[in-house]
Amino acid sequence: MKILNISWMDDEKKEGILSLANGENTFQVYCYPCSFQIGDTIVRPLQTLQDQNIVRVGGNSYTIQQIGDTFETRIIAKVEDKKNGIVSVNQIKIELDSDLPGDILEGETVSFETLRLTARKT
């Protein structure tokens, strides 16, 4: 994921909003503390906050879609690592803050909403 832009919420505290792009997905994530620069590539999984409505869905079309003008995001992703709560949207890895339901297996597709995606460098 490449960083296209950084909008500083608080420059002194290094709190920012990153605009990211990966193929057809362009979206924003929260970052604190933010030591990234425009053009950097994020390699660590993004982290979610308060996941909701995690359900299995059919198909293999994966998306990240922001809901309105907030950080709230609707995600359709492939389950990569159930034990560690890792899903992926194409090459974007996402670490869930909630457990996946017991009947969902690795390799399946899930849909869910999260209040926020967060990027961290370390």
Side-chain angles (χ1 to χ4, degrees):
M1 283 170 291
K2 290 267 189 214
I3 298 173
L4 300 176
N5 189 40
I6 301 173
S7 298
W8 294 107
M9 298 170 72
D10 188 327
D11 193 27
E12 274 185 35
K13 293 182 182 178
K14 296 293 185 186
E15 182 178 26
I17 301 170
L18 307 180
S19 295
L20 305 178
N22 183 296
E24 68 277 358
N25 295 297
T26 301
F27 55 97
Q28 294 182 330
V29 302
Y30 176 78
C31 186
Y32 174 80
C34 185
S35 58
F36 291 108
Q37 296 181 8
I38 294 173
D40 284 354
T41 299
I42 296 176
V43 294
R44 291 197 57 202
L46 299 175
Q47 296 176 318
T48 62
L49 176 68
Q50 296 182 3
D51 306 324
Q52 304 167 12
N53 305 320
I54 302 173
V55 296
R56 179 188 307 115
V57 295
N60 58 358
S61 179
Y62 311 116
T63 62
I64 297 174
Q65 179 183 18
Q66 285 195 251
I67 301 170
D69 293 333
T70 67
F71 281 116
E72 191 173 0
T73 307
R74 182 173 297 113
I75 299 170
I76 300 175
K78 179 180 179 182
V79 177
E80 297 287 339
D81 180 345
K82 181 174 177 160
K83 179 181 174 189
N84 294 306
I86 305 292
V87 299
S88 67
V89 176
N90 304 320
Q91 289 78 34
I92 301 169
K93 301 286 187 201
I94 300 170
E95 181 180 347
L96 304 177
D97 83 335
S98 303
D99 292 332
L100 288 161
D103 64 336
I104 293 176
L105 305 173
E106 288 183 9
E108 292 186 316
T109 302
V110 292
S111 173
F112 64 97
E113 291 86 38
T114 187
L115 290 183
R116 182 177 76 199
L117 288 171
T118 301
R120 293 217 162 83
K121 198 166 199 174
T122 58

